[in-house]
């Protein structure tokens, strides 16, 4: 279930709620009980340790082989 971040306009606290996407715009009360909240625009962070290998410079042009020559010598 997605997590959404909200900010309370009354006390200034920010908090997160897990709720279905269909309910993401529904009103949300802050943990202190205030009803004047606004949903914040969140950014998506993708974590992990794997990374794509850097492309190799080819001296002769057109790649070829499998996947543009990335797996060949």
């Amino acid at each position: 279930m997605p997590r959404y971040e909200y900010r309370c306009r009354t006390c200034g606290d920010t908090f997160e709620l897990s709720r279905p996407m269909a309910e993401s715009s529904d009103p949300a009360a802050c943990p202190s009980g205030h009803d004047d909240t606004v949903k914040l625009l969140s950014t998506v962070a993708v974590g992990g340790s794997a990374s794509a290998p850097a492309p190799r410079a080819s001296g002769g042009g057109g790649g070829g082989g499998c996947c543009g020559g990335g797996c060949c010598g």
Side-chain angles (χ1 to χ4, degrees):
M1 190 171 319
R3 294 185 62 84
Y4 298 96
E5 190 173 19
Y6 298 85
R7 182 175 46 84
C8 178
R9 293 181 186 176
T10 304
C11 65
D13 285 345
T14 58
F15 59 98
E16 292 183 350
L17 290 177
S18 294
R19 49 180 22 181
M21 290 173 63
E23 297 175 12
S24 67
S25 296
D26 290 354
C30 85
S32 298
H34 306 121
D35 290 327
D36 189 13
T37 60
V38 63
K39 185 175 133 189
L40 301 177
L41 181 62
S42 300
T43 58
V44 176
V46 178
S49 60
S51 62
R56 292 189 210 175
S58 62
C66 57
C67 302
C71 59
C72 301

